[in-house]
Amino acid sequence: MEAIRKQATRLREQVAKQQQAVLKQFGAGGYGGSDSMINDEAELQQHQKLEKLYISTRAGKHFQKDIVRGAEGYIVTGSKQVEIGTKLSEDSRKYGSENTCTSGSTLTKAALSYGRAWAQIEKERGNLLKALGTQVAEPLRAMVTGAPLEEARHLAQRYDRMRQEAESQAIEVSKRQAKVRDSPGNAENATKLEAAEAKLQDLKSNVAVLGKEAAASMSAVEAQQQRLTLQRLITMVEAERTYHKRVLHILEQLEAEMMSERQRIEAPPGPSLDNMSAPPSYEETNGIYASHMQNGSADRMSYFLGEVTHPYQAESDVELNLSIGDYVVVRKVTNNGWAEGECKGKAGWFPFGYVERRERILASKMAEVF
């Protein structure tokens, strides 16, 4: 289509040049000359500029329509996805809250977690669809059907019609000039020529004024069209990015919960605590934990990082809850199997056999330690 439009433009320019040549031939050596013709260079440039603006704004309008159709289609299909996802979320939570399994509660917990996470995801999808409707489709639709674009295009069409009328009048002037040359001294022919030239001059003035007005109006619409369309595209990208970022966060949390539960049930039994005495008591003094070793035991090593290999549920306020994969800063190890350290901002005691020493950890895990 673009190639066809370019070819049509070249043909119109060729026709305009041929008309110019014919008009020059009619007016050569006579009254008025070629300067009185409508197809002068300045006017031709104005005409070409308006033609390009018309094509540009038409293409921009069609692109805006394409975006609106795409956004509306996404909203329709997305709304159906929200409906399906919400139903799945409700079914998952229903199973998790009502089902009782004799072999354990692992699946019911997973179902509850999945249901909650999917409800959050569908809420985020709903926010995305709302943004596409109110911040993308509606503003673009308003511009496509708005008055500024239509008024500018009507001005351009009026200019084109008046230009054609001026060209016809220029031909009429050339004919009148020929009659005056053929019948010198004929007062009637001279009077008609003067009237035709006056009308042509008025048309040329009106064409120049209307052309400038139409060009200014079309240029303003084109600039607004380009600016608004770009803004809406950026809004689409930002809305999509926010949606996927939040969904990824929800899914990562869900996966962590499920993997932790699976590791808990699949992990081999931890070291036996049957022969271990209670952990040493310790108290917080000025924000620093002071450990009191049983039987006068001393530290066996300096601080180090340990990775939890077996989950541990604290049985008192001075103990730490540990999950597989957690990292602990081990600060003290007693000779009766207990260790004291810090994990996720909390300090306490835990069985030393439930962690393994690590020389280094990923930088992304450091925030979880402290």
Side-chain angles (χ1 to χ4, degrees):
M1 290 298 294
E2 185 63 26
I4 294 175
R5 284 196 294 268
K6 289 182 178 179
Q7 186 177 5
T9 300
R10 286 196 296 270
L11 288 173
R12 282 194 292 269
E13 291 175 356
Q14 290 175 2
V15 170
K17 290 179 180 178
Q18 290 172 357
Q19 288 178 339
Q20 209 171 4
V22 171
L23 293 174
K24 286 180 179 179
Q25 182 178 0
F26 273 115
Y31 179 77
S34 60
D35 289 341
S36 66
M37 299 299 106
I38 187 63
N39 285 312
D40 57 33
E41 187 64 27
E43 196 283 327
L44 184 60
Q45 290 178 359
Q46 183 79 285
H47 175 70
Q48 291 172 346
K49 179 181 178 181
L50 267 172
E51 190 172 52
K52 290 177 181 178
L53 284 168
Y54 195 89
I55 293 172
S56 171
T57 53
R58 181 176 59 188
K61 178 180 178 180
H62 289 167
F63 182 47
Q64 288 177 332
K65 286 183 176 180
D66 291 339
I67 296 174
V68 171
R69 278 195 297 267
E72 289 175 342
Y74 193 97
I75 291 170
V76 171
T77 57
S79 298
K80 187 63 178 177
Q81 287 179 313
V82 170
E83 182 182 338
I84 295 171
T86 301
K87 182 65 169 61
L88 176 59
S89 170
E90 292 172 353
D91 292 342
S92 297
R93 284 184 287 184
K94 182 178 179 182
Y95 175 85
S97 60
E98 296 180 1
N99 186 65
T100 55
C101 181
T102 58
S103 61
S105 60
T106 301
L107 181 58
T108 56
K109 289 180 179 178
L112 284 170
S113 297
Y114 184 87
R116 286 193 298 268
W118 217 254
Q120 292 175 334
I121 289 173
E122 297 310 328
K123 181 180 178 181
E124 295 298 336
R125 194 195 306 273
N127 292 338
L128 170 63
L129 299 180
K130 183 178 179 181
L132 291 178
T134 59
Q135 300 178 30
V136 178
E138 289 180 9
L140 289 178
R141 189 187 301 111
M143 184 166 190
V144 167
T145 59
L149 175 60
E150 291 305 312
E151 289 175 357
R153 292 170 72 85
H154 288 159
L155 273 176
Q157 291 167 354
R158 280 179 54 200
Y159 161 80
D160 194 55
R161 289 193 297 269
M162 186 173 291
R163 185 175 183 276
Q164 292 176 5
E165 183 181 354
E167 288 176 345
S168 298
Q169 185 62 26
I171 294 174
E172 178 66 22
V173 168
S174 296
K175 292 178 180 179
R176 294 292 176 188
Q177 289 174 343
K179 288 184 178 181
V180 168
R181 287 196 304 271
D182 293 340
S183 304
N186 189 319
E188 183 180 356
N189 288 341
T191 301
K192 290 181 179 180
L193 174 59
E194 290 177 1
E197 288 176 335
K199 183 177 180 180
L200 175 60
Q201 192 60 41
D202 289 342
L203 285 171
K204 287 178 66 177
S205 299
N206 292 336
V207 165
V209 172
L210 190 57
K212 291 180 181 179
E213 185 179 348
S217 180
M218 290 288 282
S219 296
V221 168
E222 182 189 51
Q224 182 187 10
Q225 197 179 60
Q226 297 282 311
R227 183 174 60 254
L228 178 64
T229 305
L230 177 60
Q231 289 173 348
R232 296 311 98 192
L233 283 176
I234 293 173
T235 299
M236 286 181 66
V237 172
E238 290 176 343
E240 285 272 8
R241 180 178 177 274
T242 300
Y243 164 72
H244 290 294
K245 185 177 179 180
R246 290 177 178 173
V247 168
L248 178 61
H249 179 67
I250 294 169
L251 291 176
E252 285 178 341
Q253 286 186 325
L254 175 61
E255 182 188 32
E257 291 176 13
M258 289 186 166
M259 291 298 293
S260 176
E261 187 65 19
R262 188 175 75 175
Q263 289 173 347
R264 186 186 67 79
I265 63 175
E266 293 180 353
S272 175
L273 302 178
D274 294 342
N275 297 326
M276 291 179 60
S277 59
S281 61
Y282 82 113
E283 61 190 24
E284 184 178 13
T285 304
N286 296 326
I288 302 176
Y289 287 97
S291 301
H292 306 285
M293 296 301 168
Q294 291 183 345
N295 302 321
S297 61
D299 296 353
R300 293 192 306 184
M301 57 189 75
S302 58
Y303 288 12
F304 66 91
L305 286 172
E307 182 179 359
V308 178
T309 56
H310 302 282
Y312 179 70
Q313 187 70 34
E315 297 181 358
S316 69
D317 293 340
V318 298
E319 298 178 26
L320 281 178
N321 287 317
L322 301 179
S323 299
I324 294 176
D326 286 349
Y327 285 89
V328 186
V329 176
V330 182
R331 300 188 291 207
K332 291 182 181 295
V333 178
T334 68
N335 56 11
N336 62 356
W338 289 95
E340 189 273 334
E342 183 176 349
C343 178
K344 297 180 179 178
K346 295 182 180 179
W349 294 95
F350 56 90
F352 181 56
Y354 282 48
V355 301
E356 290 183 1
R357 183 167 184 156
R358 294 286 183 264
E359 296 299 329
R360 64 183 63 184
I361 64 173
L362 295 175
S364 59
K365 290 289 186 179
M366 288 300 296
E368 299 179 7
V369 178
F370 303 100

